[in-house]
Amino acid sequence: MTVTQSTSPSCVWVSPSDISGRLDASYFHHGYLSLDSSLAHFPKRDVVPLDRCLVNPRRVLYQKTMSFAADDAPEGGVPFISGVDLDGSTMTVNWSSVRYVERWMLDRYPKGRLTDGSLLIKVKGPNQHTAFVSKADQTALVSGTVFFSQVRGCNPFYLAGYLSSRHGTAWRSRLRTNTTVEFIGNEELRAVPVLLPDRRIQDYIGAKVELAERCRAVAEDHWQKAVGLFQSLFAWSAPPQFSLTSVSAVAELSGRLDPKYYRREYLDAVREIIACEHGWEPIGDLVAEVSNGIEYRQFCSDGVPYLTVANVGDGDLDTDGAPRIPVDAPISDRGRIVESDVLVVRTGSIGQAAVVQRDAANAIISSHFIRLRLHKGDLGQGAWLAFFLNTELGKALQFRIAYGAVQPQIGQDELLRLPVPRLKAEVRRALVRGFLSRSALRAHARRLVNEAKADVEALIEGTLDVQAILAGTLKPPTADDIPELAEDDV
């Protein structure tokens, strides 16, 4: 189910039977009108309002309060999940972006506590993403920008996949009010029609979403172990707040005169690396070629992935979610990437880096990236550099060289001068192994989620092999089908 604004007619005819409580023109967009009939060929008992699938649904409106970044969390602070923390591509909470509030808010807003088996739906702002938390590993509060509830009467993983499919997304997009800040009302959201087929079909689709969640959990475990190993080698750690004064040695002075560049935390980070037992080397010594990406804005439905800053996160590249540009577009070589290239975000969300792996090779990158092509062209070396730049120590170095008050950015020359510690070969291999395993597992998670969404669409369109699922001859993938999970189980 796709709603395309660019081909919208200037007007549509609506019959009296189509009129509901809504009279705003956007509600009757021609792409939305087909939603009313898309489920008509299913038995009425299989199509229920979302409210029938929820247990005590709620949306808690919090008073305006002080919010803290994750690395500035107050002692005993509580994660505060807002709509921007829901990752639509993996249907999970992006815990690395979650901000914190003070613990007294738990007592003030007890109904806002996240519980096991919670379905979360972003209802304020664009992109109404959905996430499902089967097990709440930590106490957290949910913002008023998110509608959340436990699930009943259906496979919860299937329900998350249904609401994240193009069909479910289109329904929720239709319900948005056309105001300055778009939002979905509670009653309207709870009335969204949900297709609940035979439980065996729900379980088949839901198994893919559930397996994706397991992939993400194991991936995070790999990352935490790698980060823990790395941090055990250095005394430096991200401080809770910046110092107000610092003293630098004459040898540490450079062409930069801005006070931020000489903060004590940044100086300590550089000193820690330079004092590394096995020495250090500047990034420039590893790089054979450096360039920025290119700008291109003529997108198409099927073509070459065009990676933007939105497609990189926590060291991963998401090519599936990237816009496409024509295969025959005249693209400069500096915009093309190959396996083992390292991409560093140079504007906006500074502190993000990723290594290009086989599935992203030959994609095009935007001008907001700095592309580092290494001498050896070795994936292991690229993964090591990307891992280091994604650690708190590596991010501190990037924050240090960033300039610009409105739009922070970093330059190629200063990036190439950043020091990288030399580690024992076996330690470096362990870090790279953990980094690449996490990346592979997260890629599996995205693929499984996309397959589940596609299955929902195929079910609605009548192209899903329902009989094979009911007969048990078509089975969902298991952990044994994912090498990284099978290896982890062993």
Side-chain angles (χ1 to χ4, degrees):
M1 180 63 59
T2 304
V3 177
T4 306
Q5 297 288 349
S6 60
T7 59
S8 301
S10 57
C11 64
V12 294
W13 291 102
V14 181
S15 67
S17 61
D18 292 327
I19 301 296
S20 64
R22 295 282 292 268
L23 294 177
D24 46 313
S26 62
Y27 185 81
F28 298 98
H29 182 281
H30 79 107
Y32 293 146
L33 294 179
S34 62
L35 288 173
D36 295 324
S37 59
S38 60
L39 303 179
H41 59 286
F42 290 95
K44 289 186 178 180
R45 67 176 182 276
D46 291 345
V47 181
V48 302
L50 177 60
D51 190 50
R52 290 264 300 273
C53 305
L54 306 178
V55 179
N56 190 25
R58 54 192 180 272
R59 176 182 173 216
V60 183
L61 296 177
Y62 294 106
Q63 297 176 354
K64 188 175 181 181
T65 183
M66 179 62 71
S67 185
F68 299 84
D71 55 354
D72 295 332
E75 184 176 353
V78 179
F80 187 64
I81 303 170
S82 66
V84 298
D85 301 318
L86 305 189
D87 186 345
S89 66
T90 57
M91 286 191 285
T92 188
V93 175
N94 182 10
W95 291 100
S96 64
S97 70
V98 171
R99 298 173 70 84
Y100 283 63
V101 293
E102 295 186 89
R103 183 161 288 273
W104 60 263
M105 291 189 67
L106 284 173
D107 297 327
R108 178 75 64 86
Y109 305 105
K111 292 183 178 180
R113 292 193 184 200
L114 180 68
T115 54
D116 291 348
S118 286
L119 178 75
L120 296 90
I121 304 173
K122 181 183 177 185
V123 293
K124 187 175 182 180
N127 303 322
Q128 276 73 38
H129 290 154
T130 302
F132 182 73
V133 179
S134 60
K135 181 173 175 52
D137 293 324
Q138 55 185 319
T139 301
L141 283 170
V142 182
S143 161
T145 63
V146 174
F147 178 96
F148 73 110
S149 171
Q150 291 179 304
V151 178
R152 64 177 177 181
C154 66
N155 185 305
F157 295 100
Y158 164 80
L159 181 59
Y162 176 87
L163 293 173
S164 297
S165 70
R166 291 196 305 273
H167 182 88
T169 301
W171 255 113
R172 288 182 289 128
S173 295
R174 186 186 193 187
L175 297 177
R176 292 180 298 183
T177 56
N178 189 19
T179 60
T180 303
V181 179
E182 297 176 335
F183 72 95
I184 302 175
N186 287 2
E187 296 304 318
E188 290 185 305
L189 180 63
R190 291 161 71 165
V192 167
V194 175
L195 173 62
L196 295 184
D198 186 287
R199 184 63 183 240
R200 288 169 290 179
I201 299 174
Q202 294 182 42
D203 292 344
Y204 171 82
I205 298 175
K208 296 183 179 182
V209 179
E210 187 174 9
L211 184 57
E213 183 178 81
R214 183 176 176 189
C215 286
R216 291 190 296 268
V218 176
E220 184 60 24
D221 184 57
H222 279 295
W223 173 251
Q224 293 301 330
K225 288 179 179 177
V227 169
L229 173 59
F230 180 82
Q231 290 179 339
S232 69
L233 306 174
F234 299 93
W236 187 92
S237 61
Q241 60 184 8
F242 287 119
S243 61
L244 298 178
T245 61
S246 63
V247 178
S248 59
V250 174
E252 294 174 318
L253 298 177
S254 69
R256 295 281 293 263
L257 295 178
D258 46 318
K260 175 185 75 71
Y261 188 78
Y262 298 100
R263 279 177 172 159
R264 183 186 308 163
E265 296 78 13
Y266 297 154
L267 292 175
D268 287 346
V270 174
R271 292 164 182 164
E272 185 84 10
I273 296 173
I274 292 177
C276 183
E277 178 184 359
H278 303 284
W280 62 279
E281 56 192 336
I283 290 179
D285 284 1
L286 306 174
V287 174
E289 179 187 334
V290 60
S291 69
N292 293 344
I294 56 100
E295 282 299 304
Y296 200 92
R297 287 293 177 267
Q298 297 178 8
F299 301 130
C300 61
S301 59
D302 185 21
V304 181
Y306 177 73
L307 299 173
T308 67
V309 173
N311 303 118
V312 61
D314 295 330
D316 290 332
L317 291 173
D318 178 15
T319 55
D320 293 334
R324 283 345 193 225
I325 64 176
V327 175
D328 57 354
I331 301 298
S332 167
D333 287 341
R334 65 189 177 90
R336 300 184 183 276
I337 55 177
V338 299
E339 188 175 10
S340 79
D341 282 353
V342 176
L343 307 183
V344 182
V345 174
R346 72 176 187 89
T347 61
S349 53
I350 304 298
Q352 297 274 3
V355 62
V356 177
Q357 299 186 57
R358 185 173 303 172
D359 61 339
N362 301 317
I364 311 299
I365 57 170
S366 80
S367 62
H368 295 279
F369 286 108
I370 295 176
R371 186 201 67 190
L372 303 176
R373 183 155 295 166
L374 308 182
H375 284 296
K376 295 182 179 180
D378 175 66
L379 180 60
Q381 187 183 54
W384 155 241
L385 181 55
F387 170 84
F388 170 71
L389 291 174
N390 278 287
T391 64
E392 292 300 328
L393 192 57
K395 288 181 179 181
L397 299 183
Q398 296 170 77
F399 295 152
R400 185 193 189 203
I401 64 174
Y403 62 91
V406 178
Q407 177 78 322
Q409 55 185 303
I410 60 179
Q412 294 181 10
D413 292 341
E414 286 192 301
L415 176 64
L416 295 177
R417 287 196 292 267
L418 294 184
V420 179
R422 288 195 178 104
L423 304 179
K424 288 183 177 179
E426 59 270 24
V427 173
R428 185 167 134 172
R429 282 196 296 269
L431 298 176
V432 167
R433 185 166 55 251
F435 181 73
L436 292 179
S437 294
R438 183 188 75 152
S439 181
L441 286 165
R442 289 172 62 120
H444 284 304
R446 289 193 296 269
R447 175 182 55 81
L448 288 164
V449 165
N450 287 335
E451 287 182 7
K453 294 177 184 178
D455 286 344
V456 171
E457 291 303 314
L459 174 65
I460 294 172
E461 295 168 3
T463 58
L464 183 67
D465 195 346
V466 172
Q467 294 306 317
I469 297 174
L470 296 178
T473 56
L474 182 59
K475 298 181 181 296
T478 65
D480 292 336
D481 300 315
I482 299 177
E484 292 80 8
L485 280 184
E487 179 182 346
D488 188 74
D489 288 341
V490 173

